[in-house]
Amino acid sequence: QAQLAESGGGSVQVGGSLTLSCGVPPDTARMGWFRQVPGKEREAVASINTKIKTGRTYYADSVKGRFTISQDNAKNTLYLQMRNLEVDDTAMYYCAGRRRGISYEEYRWREEWTYAYWGRGTQVTVSS
């Protein structure tokens, strides 16, 4: 199983911004960002189709309008730009990748079991 590597986490104040990065394996069809707070289930934050240059994106309602997922195909890098951060955004953020060759319904973008590759996570802490 490929091990992804996230970077870019840190501590910011409410209203601040951070950009997370993650390498994209060549055989992925979709990449996503998930987050988890201790004691809670991991939740999907955003996802993008990496098979095409401008892949279709999905966002959790809680981050729409504040977070942007994107990819740099030349650098094989996935990004999550986070703006106007809130205390509730505090979590460990994970990068995940879905292999090509298996098709899933679009609504499954947020389902962890469809992603084969995972990173170890990067901590984001937002303080008031």
Side-chain angles (χ1 to χ4, degrees), residues 1-69:
Q1 179 174 342
Q3 188 71 49
L4 307 180
E6 306 91 341
S7 63
S11 297
V12 296
Q13 292 192 318
V14 169
S17 301
L18 282 174
T19 297
L20 307 183
S21 302
C22 172
V24 178
D27 65 337
T28 56
R30 176 167 289 281
M31 296 289 292
W33 288 98
F34 290 73
R35 67 186 182 186
Q36 188 171 26
V37 175
K40 293 188 177 181
E41 290 188 359
R42 190 156 51 187
E43 64 172 351
V45 175
S47 183
I48 185 169
N49 182 329
T50 52
K51 289 191 295 186
I52 58 178
K53 197 171 184 179
T54 53
R56 185 169 185 174
T57 58
Y58 296 97
Y59 295 93
D61 288 344
S62 59
V63 306
K64 279 181 184 176
R66 300 188 298 119
F67 290 12
T68 302
I69 188 170

Side-chain angles (χ1 to χ4, degrees), residues 42-107:
R42 190 156 51 187
E43 64 172 351
V45 175
S47 183
I48 185 169
N49 182 329
T50 52
K51 289 191 295 186
I52 58 178
K53 197 171 184 179
T54 53
R56 185 169 185 174
T57 58
Y58 296 97
Y59 295 93
D61 288 344
S62 59
V63 306
K64 279 181 184 176
R66 300 188 298 119
F67 290 12
T68 302
I69 188 170
S70 63
Q71 57 178 337
D72 184 326
N73 294 312
K75 296 182 179 179
N76 295 319
T77 302
L78 177 75
Y79 300 101
L80 183 68
Q81 294 176 285
M82 305 184 294
R83 297 178 296 273
N84 196 19
L85 283 160
E86 303 170 353
V87 172
D88 286 347
D89 295 319
T90 296
M92 184 71 77
Y93 283 71
Y94 298 89
C95 175
R98 182 189 287 174
R99 283 199 195 100
R100 295 186 185 187
I102 305 175
S103 296
Y104 298 97
E105 294 85 347
E106 289 295 302
Y107 72 88

